Amino acid sequence: GRLVEGNGIQGQNRVNWGDLPANGARDITVTADCTAKTVTISSDGQSFTGSYPSSWSSVYVAVGAQGGPFSATLPSGNTWLGGSSTQTLSGGFRGNRGEQDLCASSGSASEQNSYSTTTGFCRGGSSWPDGNEYNCFEDVARTRIQMTDAECRQECDADVECAAYDRSWYDRQGILIEDIPTGAADCCLFKAGSTGNGDES
């Protein structure tokens, strides 16, 4: 098989891995250096390293194939989009990506960033480059982007400077969000030292 350069990856655009082993399976290791913005893919003593845009904050394992059927199995604890650890591709051009961000905190979910709920506006940490203590997600029209609790937490996990995140109890129409974990609301990131200021307004 050949590894073909993905969209945005700069470097050698393909590696010929040679014939498949006798058992028809090949182990491939994908390692992201999220500081240097590079990805290294290794197998059978060979490796390929390419850089990716500095604006990317997340990196995912991906698989693609033409024809098939081909199967790709992730290590224990990792899943493809859709929830399965094994992805089978067949017929035409097919592909999928993993659900786990390689640039998020490493380790199991219990070992990743842990957060505690506090009341009020998140304050007390150092400022972001724009001078504000908060870094809120906005679209091109400067309207704040609505996220679930899980989505906002994932954004904080993926940002090495983020230690806390803040979500409003109300949606854009001012209606109380009854189910905070799944309801969509503003998402703002904060640096270390930030906590709720007790303001319940």
Side-chain angles (χ1 to χ4, degrees):
R2 291 177 299 182
L3 172 69
V4 179
E5 178 178 348
N7 182 28
I9 302 297
Q10 305 298 317
Q12 183 178 352
N13 66 358
R14 63 178 58 184
V15 172
N16 192 334
W17 300 115
D19 296 331
L20 283 172
N23 65 2
R26 171 175 283 117
D27 291 330
I28 297 176
T29 301
V30 180
T31 306
D33 185 330
C34 305
T35 301
K37 301 293 185 180
T38 62
V39 172
T40 299
I41 302 175
S42 307
S43 181
D44 299 333
Q46 300 184 77
S47 65
F48 157 84
T49 299
S51 60
Y52 59 90
S54 59
S55 59
W56 292 10
S57 60
S58 301
V59 175
Y60 300 88
V61 171
V63 61
Q66 178 182 8
F70 302 100
S71 293
T73 301
L74 292 171
S76 176
N78 295 270
T79 53
W80 299 104
L81 285 180
S84 174
S85 61
T86 298
Q87 176 71 55
T88 300
L89 307 171
S90 62
F93 292 97
R94 297 288 187 271
N96 199 358
R97 74 161 175 84
E99 293 185 311
Q100 288 72 30
D101 178 5
L102 300 184
C103 286
S105 300
S106 60
S108 66
S110 62
E111 294 170 333
Q112 293 183 11
N113 293 348
S114 60
Y115 305 91
S116 58
T117 302
T118 57
T119 301
F121 299 100
C122 200
R123 296 292 184 270
S126 55
S127 299
W128 296 92
D130 63 1
N132 292 318
E133 290 186 41
Y134 49 84
N135 180 21
C136 302
F137 289 89
E138 300 177 336
D139 60 21
V140 293
R142 302 298 302 276
T143 300
R144 290 190 177 179
I145 297 172
Q146 308 291 283
M147 298 184 188
T148 64
D149 184 77
E151 291 170 336
C152 192
R153 176 180 180 138
Q154 184 176 32
E155 292 293 343
C156 191
D157 284 343
D159 191 317
V160 296
E161 293 189 271
C162 182
Y165 63 93
D166 179 293
R167 298 180 66 245
S168 171
W169 287 94
Y170 297 88
D171 64 15
R172 299 303 294 176
Q173 286 72 46
I175 300 173
L176 179 67
I177 299 172
E178 298 291 344
D179 187 353
I180 285 298
T182 58
D186 296 355
C187 173
C188 301
L189 307 186
F190 295 81
K191 294 187 177 184
S194 302
T195 189
N197 64 2
D199 187 345
E200 299 184 4
S201 62

